[in-house]
């Protein structure tokens, strides 16, 4: 049988084969980002959220330099120069920023590097502007090769080969050179490396520079395939996370294997096109994100440390131990009541303050969202990077019930909360088995799945437009009515969280946070308590989402993206993790900032990033911590 | 030449907010072997970590061969000629024996015994035969030998040995005593933490007793003193 006849009978087979080869090209790119991320994590124990930024900048630098010299020299010279520049930038970033946070708690490290991502993104906006920039095509490699009845670009074949080549080179460096042995030794026990007289700081700088250079190299290689734009830092970061986690943090071959796995799953989805399951048609090519994160979830459930990962030995310097929470004093209770009364009076202050209730409603929703996240982070010790999922499930649940199902306001709100609770129960059953960065990444992944399902499932969620025309019934249809209802819900939620934090449940959670092993030994069902905490946080986060849907009259995918998860984390951190009042202060501060200063500038990302860095470096206790310090000084102690 | 190899005066140390060491003072003279004994949790390990700069510490005086190290980073203290064998050994299990040794090698220094390959393998004949074995595939006793050898190739002048006999079979302990004695015979100064009194007696010139993070009053015992020994 001729190939043509075969292809006519089985149209899917050549499509699959073609996509598989394409998948190897994508796998190389993924690997180049993930390899550096993985090595850096192995040695420094820092998950570098800004790693995608080196990839993006590498591409920008390459498209800027390549046209300066014509021909292959210009193209390949630009690629190498981009890698070199990113290596230098990586070293600079390590010395100025990372060096200060190696001993900080994990959460601060994640947020500080995320702040870097924001600042670098705005720096790129400043230097290169908002327009996409097209690079030149690779000289001599612009043709294509006929394969399986299709044409495969030569450049993609080269890319497919570069992954294994870099893997081999890295393997040789790691096994045959002193630098490589140092990396392997430090990945296992960096303290012992210092004991042998090796300058850790220098090693860390070198490792970070190496990782950044490889990412920059990967970005620069994209020059012939996609234009430089400001979205690729976050985009590639999500993919690289999945790859590193699936492969096992710190393992290079794991990273390559996982890159191939993920890229092939994506390629398969693309090749399948639109398929129908139980009468509902799914466009698989748009579901690649979900597929990728599903792979990650499955691997993490089966092998919590990834394909080639091992349990991460604890960093020998632990972050500071959390101070115990204290119940409110009489003055504290009194101020709480005064603040609530003041907030309740806001709508009645007259025209001069007409904007105040609008702003205050935003603050209330943010406060409930941040407080629910804090319950998980503070007493629970689990930093979720995907709290936007709860918010989204609550918001979409409410909006769907109110518009499509036509339920009344209160029932719709309850429906939304129930959806969020259910989602939390489901994810929680998996997530509470993990800790630290793995927990952070799984929650981030789940939030991406929710986001992408919402984005795809047009019949129910309205796709990219979202759901709108959401009008609450009386008495919530007036601005005042809705505001007072939101105030009541938020106050009730915050009081519930307080009550729980000081109940045996809360004490058990804190005991588990401080030492899971000791808590387990003294009969505390750690996993169960964490699961319940996850559900509590998810339920109240969902309530915040429901309020949001009613407050805006609509809900769109943008409102539940990764940005909301990060906002929540920043609020908690800004206010102070170690105090129950902290998230409320942080929510108020960040929301007011966003509604005023950040709205006025194109560079709000850099502002937010600067704010995060300021908190991490200068006020690790947040606003609440700072106030407590002042109060103690005032009391003359 | 009479300046002590290690001089500690008024050492305090903390884990987080918990203070562990209280005003500890001790010295190790050049070429001397000194034991630090005390029950579990007394603070022996913490003392060694404090010397290496691995825990937060403060001291009126903390000097190696006359050099103040109270504020130095760990790697600088190591480079001044301090070798450290932690109680859990902490060899690099991913790396082979040869790689473990290669990473630790430092130039010879004046006033300290030099350990070239010949000297090292004379002391640890077993290791010579397993250079390509990953550290993770060695027995506990072999790992302890590798940890010792790894500290020696740094050519230290002072060696901190944390409970070398812990979890090691009695017959290996005998062998270890001989090994440590010959290290001392070559002029190495040693501070050793132990619970095994026989090992201390066989090796050490003096003994400090530590309890609850502080030296026991009168806890300094010179060898051959009139203090009653067991039996
Ligand atoms: N990482 C640590 N964090 C907090 N406390 C510790 C830590 N390591 C040891 N300790 C405490 O310090 C004290 C001294 O321990 P250590 O120096 O290991 O004693 P030793 O080596 O004499 O058995 C003990 O009470 C122990 O519980
Ligand atoms: Mg000990």
């Amino acid at each position: 049988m001729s190939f043509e006849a075969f292809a006519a009978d089985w149209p899917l087979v050549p499509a699959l084969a073609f996509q598989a080869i394409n998948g190897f090209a994508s796998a190389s790119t993924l690997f180049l980002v993930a390899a550096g991320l993985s090595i850096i994590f192995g040695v420094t124990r820092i998950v570098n959220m800004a790693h995608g930024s080196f990839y993006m900048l590498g591409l920008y630098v390459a498209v800027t330099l390549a046209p300066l010299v014509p021909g292959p020299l210009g193209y390949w010279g630009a690629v190498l120069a981009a890698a070199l520049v990113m290596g230098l930038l990586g070293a600079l970033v390590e010395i100025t920023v990372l060096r200060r946070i190696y001993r900080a708690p994990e959460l601060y490290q994640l947020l500080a590097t995320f702040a870097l991502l924001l600042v670098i993104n705005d720096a790129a906006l400043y230097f290169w502007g908002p327009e996409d920039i097209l690079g030149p095509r690779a000289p001599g490699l612009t043709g294509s090769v006929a394969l399986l009845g299709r044409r495969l670009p030569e450049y993609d074949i080269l890319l497919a080969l570069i992954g294994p080549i870099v893997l081999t080179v890295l393997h040789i460096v790691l096994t045959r050179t002193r630098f490589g042995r140092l990396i392997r030794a430090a990945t296992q026990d960096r303290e012992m490396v210092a004991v042998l007289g090796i300058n850790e700081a220098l090693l860390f700088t070198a490792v970070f520079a190496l990782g950044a250079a490889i990412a920059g190299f990967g970005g620069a290689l994209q020059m012939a395939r996609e234009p430089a734009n400001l979205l690729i830092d976050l985009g590639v970061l999500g993919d690289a996370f999945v790859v590193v986690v699936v492969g096992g943090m710190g393992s290079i071959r794991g990273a390559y294997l996982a890159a191939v796995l993920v890229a092939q799953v994506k390629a398969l989805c693309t090749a399948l096109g639109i398929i129908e399951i139980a009468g509902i048609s799914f466009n698989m090519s748009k579901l690649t994100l979900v597929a990728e994160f599903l792979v990650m979830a499955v691997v993490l459930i089966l092998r919590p440390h990834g394909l080639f990962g091992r349990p991460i030995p604890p960093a020998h310097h632990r972050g500071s131990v959390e101070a115990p929470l204290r119940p409110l004093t009489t003055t504290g209770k009194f101020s709480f009541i005064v603040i609530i009364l003041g907030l309740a009076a806001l709508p009645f202050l007259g025209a001069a303050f007409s904007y105040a209730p609008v702003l205050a409603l935003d603050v209330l929703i943010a406060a409930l969202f941040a407080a629910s996240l804090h319950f998980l982070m503070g007493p629970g010790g689990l930093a979720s990077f995907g709290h936007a999922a709860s918010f989204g499930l609550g918001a979409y649940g409410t909006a769907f019930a109110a518009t499509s199902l036509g339920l009344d306001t209160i029932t719709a709100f309850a429906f939304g909360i129930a959806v969020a609770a259910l989602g939390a129960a489901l994810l929680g059953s998996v997530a509470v088995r993990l800790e630290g960065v793995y927990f952070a990444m799984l929650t981030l992944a789940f939030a991406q799945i929710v986001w992408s399902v919402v984005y795809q499932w047009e019949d129910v969620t309205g796709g990219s437009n979202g759901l709108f025309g959401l009008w609450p019934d009386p008495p919530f249809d007036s601005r005042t009515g809705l505001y007072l209802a939101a105030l009541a819900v938020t106050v009730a939620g915050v009081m519930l969280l307080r009550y729980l934090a000081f109940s045996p449940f809360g004490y058990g959670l804190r005991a588990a946070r401080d030492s899971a092993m000791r808590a387990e030994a003294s009969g505390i069902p750690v996993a169960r308590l964490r699961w319940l905490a996850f559900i509590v946080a998810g339920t109240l986060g969902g309530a915040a989402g429901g309020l949001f849907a009613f407050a805006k009259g609509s809900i769109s995918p943008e409102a539940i993206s990764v940005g909301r998860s990060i906002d929540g984390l920043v609020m908690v951190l800004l206010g102070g993790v170690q105090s129950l009042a902290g998230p409320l202060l942080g929510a108020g501060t960040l929301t007011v900032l966003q509604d005023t200063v950040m709205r006025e500038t194109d560079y709000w990302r850099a502002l937010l990033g600067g704010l995060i860095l300021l908190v991490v470096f200068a006020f690790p206790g947040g606003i609440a911590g700072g106030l407590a310090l002042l109060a103690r000084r005032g009391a003359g102690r | 030449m009479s300046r002590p190899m290690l001089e500690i005066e008024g050492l305090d140390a903390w884990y987080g907010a918990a203070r562990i060491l209280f005003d500890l003072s001790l010295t190790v003279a050049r070429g001397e072997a000194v034991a630090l004994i005390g029950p579990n949790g007394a603070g022996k390990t913490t003392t060694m970590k404090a010397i290496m700069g691995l825990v937060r510490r403060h001291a009126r005086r903390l000097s190696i061969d006359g050099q103040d190290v109270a504020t130095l980073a760990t790697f600088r203290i190591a480079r001044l000629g301090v070798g450290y064998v932690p109680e859990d050994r902490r060899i690099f299990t991913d790396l082979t024996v040869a790689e473990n040794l290669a990473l630790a090698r430092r130039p010879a220094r004046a006033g300290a015994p030099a350990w070239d390959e010949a000297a090292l393998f004379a002391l640890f004949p077993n290791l010579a035969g397993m250079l390509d074995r990953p550290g993770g595939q060695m027995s506990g006793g072999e790992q302890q030998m590798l940890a010792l050898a790894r500290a020696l190739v740094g050519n230290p002048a002072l060696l901190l040995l944390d409970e070398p006999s812990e979890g090691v079979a009695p017959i290996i302990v005998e062998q270890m005593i001989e090994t440590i004695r010959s290290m001392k015979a070559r002029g190495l100064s040693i501070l050793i933490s132990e619970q095994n009194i026989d090992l201390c007696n066989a090796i050490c010139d003096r003994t400090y007793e530590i309890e609850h993070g502080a030296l026991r009053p009168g806890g300094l015992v010179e060898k051959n003193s009139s203090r009653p020994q067991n039996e």
Side-chain angles (χ1 to χ4, degrees):
Chain A
M1 186 162 68
S2 75
F3 178 76
E4 280 71 23
F6 172 77
D9 285 350
W10 298 92
L12 209 50
V13 171
L16 285 178
F18 177 81
Q19 286 297 346
I21 294 170
N22 223 332
F24 278 104
S26 314
S28 291
T29 305
L30 272 180
F31 170 67
L32 291 179
V33 184
L37 196 61
S38 195
I39 298 182
I40 290 174
F41 176 81
V43 173
T44 68
R45 292 289 183 278
I46 287 203
V47 173
N48 178 27
M49 293 272 196
H51 209 65
S53 308
F54 294 121
Y55 175 84
M56 179 184 79
L57 283 187
L59 178 49
Y60 269 108
V61 170
V63 296
T64 309
L65 295 182
L68 300 183
V69 181
L73 185 66
Y75 189 92
W76 297 108
V79 169
L80 289 184
L84 213 67
V85 172
M86 285 311 112
L88 289 176
L89 184 70
L92 188 73
V93 163
E94 197 276 340
I95 290 168
T96 52
V97 178
L98 293 187
R99 211 166 262 194
R100 292 157 206 273
I101 56 171
Y102 286 131
R103 294 182 185 188
E106 236 156 39
L107 170 68
Y108 285 50
Q109 300 176 338
L110 291 169
L111 276 169
T113 52
F114 192 83
L116 275 176
L117 174 141
L118 294 172
V119 172
I120 292 178
N121 193 282
D122 267 357
L125 173 66
Y126 178 80
F127 286 115
W128 284 285
E131 304 294 328
D132 289 8
I133 303 178
L134 267 173
R137 309 194 58 195
L141 286 170
T142 52
S144 55
V145 180
L147 191 87
L148 301 175
R150 301 189 182 212
R151 304 207 64 83
L152 200 64
E154 285 169 359
Y155 195 73
D156 285 10
I157 298 175
L158 175 74
L159 269 187
L161 293 176
I162 281 182
I165 293 173
V166 172
L167 175 66
T168 311
V169 170
L170 276 178
H171 184 77
I172 291 172
V173 169
L174 283 175
T175 50
R176 303 281 165 81
T177 68
R178 179 172 169 85
F179 179 51
R181 284 182 204 125
L182 279 174
I183 290 180
R184 280 156 60 215
T187 298
Q188 188 192 336
D189 190 343
R190 51 185 168 160
E191 200 176 80
M192 211 51 218
V193 165
V195 164
L196 298 183
I198 288 141
N199 187 345
E200 251 185 317
L202 216 59
L203 176 66
F204 282 19
T205 308
V207 165
F208 207 81
L210 173 70
I214 302 174
F217 178 64
L221 283 173
Q222 289 302 299
M223 179 158 48
R225 296 178 101 204
E226 62 173 329
N229 66 79
L230 293 168
L231 294 178
I232 46 186
D233 51 355
L234 250 181
V236 79
L237 181 70
D239 286 347
F241 266 4
V242 177
V243 166
V244 170
V245 168
V246 167
M249 297 292 258
S251 163
I252 301 297
R253 18 177 215 157
Y256 185 70
L257 205 74
V260 170
L261 186 66
V262 166
Q264 292 302 354
V265 167
K266 280 182 138 185
L268 182 69
C269 284
T270 311
L272 287 177
I274 296 172
I275 60 166
E276 232 168 79
I277 300 174
I280 309 170
S281 71
F282 291 94
N283 186 346
M284 292 303 285
S285 63
K286 287 190 181 168
L287 278 179
T288 50
L289 202 62
V290 180
E292 178 180 337
F293 284 112
L294 279 180
V295 170
M296 166 151 137
V298 170
V299 170
L300 278 187
I301 293 167
L302 297 179
R303 295 185 61 97
H305 301 288
L307 295 175
F308 285 91
R310 267 171 292 183
I312 304 167
H316 279 274
H317 291 289
R318 299 300 309 205
S320 57
V321 177
E322 300 241 350
L325 293 171
R326 278 188 211 87
L328 275 185
T329 56
T330 320
T331 342
K333 281 183 187 145
F334 183 69
S335 346
F336 189 59
I337 292 172
V338 168
I339 291 173
I340 294 174
L341 288 179
L343 284 171
L346 260 191
F348 308 106
L349 290 182
F353 293 93
S354 66
Y355 185 61
V358 180
L359 185 57
L361 182 55
D362 284 350
V363 171
L364 285 177
I365 293 168
L368 183 57
F369 182 63
S372 63
L373 175 61
H374 173 266
F375 187 70
L376 204 54
M377 288 168 63
L382 297 166
S384 166
F385 270 66
H387 205 46
S390 302
F391 189 88
L393 290 176
Y396 269 95
T398 302
F400 178 73
T403 56
S404 306
L405 300 181
L407 298 180
D408 67 274
T409 300
I410 292 183
T411 318
F413 186 51
F415 183 85
I417 292 178
V419 171
L422 211 68
L426 201 73
L427 171 65
S429 57
V430 178
V432 296
R433 300 198 215 172
L434 310 174
E435 281 187 316
V437 292
Y438 283 92
F439 179 84
M441 291 185 167
L442 185 74
T443 46
L444 180 81
F446 181 73
Q448 291 294 332
I449 294 182
V450 169
W451 181 87
S452 119
V453 166
V454 158
Y455 200 81
Q456 296 298 323
W457 202 4
E458 289 202 10
D459 298 342
V460 171
T461 62
S464 57
N465 296 323
L467 296 171
F468 37 86
L470 186 68
W471 303 121
D473 310 328
F476 310 114
D477 55 342
S478 74
R479 188 176 280 177
T480 307
L482 185 64
Y483 171 75
L484 290 178
L487 180 62
V489 170
T490 303
V491 169
V494 168
M495 282 171 58
L496 173 69
L497 291 174
R498 272 206 94 88
Y499 169 76
L500 290 178
F502 290 106
S503 70
F505 171 45
Y507 290 122
L509 264 184
R510 275 138 70 185
R513 171 197 67 195
D514 294 338
S515 168
M517 216 155 61
R518 244 176 281 163
E520 196 87 61
S522 55
I524 297 173
V526 172
R528 206 183 145 70
L529 288 192
R530 287 184 173 163
W531 184 59
L532 288 175
F534 202 86
I535 296 176
V536 168
T539 307
L540 290 177
L547 290 178
F548 179 87
F550 279 127
K552 303 293 167 195
S554 66
I555 180 76
S556 66
E558 197 186 325
I560 70 161
S561 65
V562 63
R564 181 155 312 268
S565 299
I566 300 298
D567 280 356
L569 288 167
V570 173
M571 288 171 194
V572 171
L573 196 73
L574 182 62
V577 194
Q578 305 200 356
S579 145
L580 289 178
L584 309 181
L585 289 171
T589 312
L590 185 66
T591 309
V592 170
L593 272 178
Q594 279 175 334
D595 279 11
T596 53
V597 186
M598 294 187 190
R599 193 171 271 184
E600 298 300 317
T601 166
D602 285 340
Y603 297 103
W604 61 268
R605 284 179 209 82
L607 263 178
L608 182 61
L611 184 68
I612 295 175
L613 290 177
L614 185 73
V615 173
V616 168
F617 289 151
F619 307 101
I623 299 173
L627 288 179
L629 205 68
L630 280 182
R632 247 175 289 147
R633 287 224 184 107
R637 282 202 287 143
Chain B
M1 273 316 272
S2 66
R3 133 182 114 200
M5 198 58 233
L6 169 69
E7 194 176 11
I8 302 178
E9 222 183 274
L11 174 67
D12 305 330
W14 293 262
Y15 285 112
R19 180 150 169 209
I20 305 294
L21 295 186
F22 300 84
D23 198 26
L24 205 89
S25 300
L26 61 84
T27 52
V28 177
R30 186 170 283 277
E32 195 183 26
V34 171
L36 196 56
I37 63 171
N40 262 336
K44 304 180 295 294
T45 299
T46 308
T47 304
M48 301 211 164
K49 286 189 174 175
I51 296 169
M52 290 308 296
L54 295 172
V55 294
R56 187 158 72 86
R57 85 283 210 227
H58 173 83
R60 281 197 301 281
R61 182 168 178 77
L62 179 56
S63 65
I64 306 291
D65 200 12
Q67 263 240 35
D68 182 28
V69 299
T71 56
L72 288 191
T74 300
F75 80 94
R76 295 213 181 275
I77 297 173
R79 286 183 186 181
L80 282 175
V82 186
Y84 170 46
V85 182
E87 60 187 332
D88 41 0
R89 296 160 197 142
R90 288 165 71 173
I91 59 164
F92 302 114
T93 48
D94 274 356
L95 274 55
T96 62
V97 171
E99 287 175 328
N100 267 279
L101 294 176
L103 278 191
R105 183 155 289 289
R106 303 207 68 80
R109 72 189 77 242
W115 300 90
D116 55 15
E117 300 246 305
L120 196 71
F121 293 136
L123 208 53
F124 306 103
N126 287 352
L127 290 183
M130 50 173 83
L131 285 176
D132 289 326
R133 187 176 303 180
Q137 293 174 20
M138 302 168 84
S139 72
E142 289 164 351
Q143 287 195 349
Q144 182 68 335
M145 291 301 163
L146 175 57
L148 275 172
R150 186 179 63 178
L152 287 188
V153 292
N155 293 317
L158 170 69
L159 188 65
L160 310 179
L161 269 180
D162 198 355
E163 301 213 25
S165 75
E166 195 192 15
V168 173
I171 182 146
I172 312 277
V173 174
E174 292 296 312
Q175 207 180 318
M176 191 182 301
I177 290 176
E178 280 322 301
T179 311
I180 299 174
R181 281 169 72 106
S182 42
M183 282 154 48
K184 178 173 186 267
R186 290 202 52 197
L188 190 62
S189 315
I190 302 175
L191 177 66
I192 183 167
S193 112
E194 256 308 331
Q195 304 209 34
N196 182 332
I197 301 289
D198 293 340
L199 189 143
C200 292
N201 285 340
I203 297 170
C204 299
D205 304 309
R206 289 183 302 134
T207 302
Y208 290 93
E209 280 182 44
I210 180 173
E211 206 170 51
H212 302 306
L215 285 192
R216 259 184 54 178
L220 171 60
V221 184
E222 304 283 342
K223 200 159 185 181
N224 308 325
S225 73
S226 55
R227 199 164 190 266
Q229 307 252 320
N230 302 347
E231 293 170 304

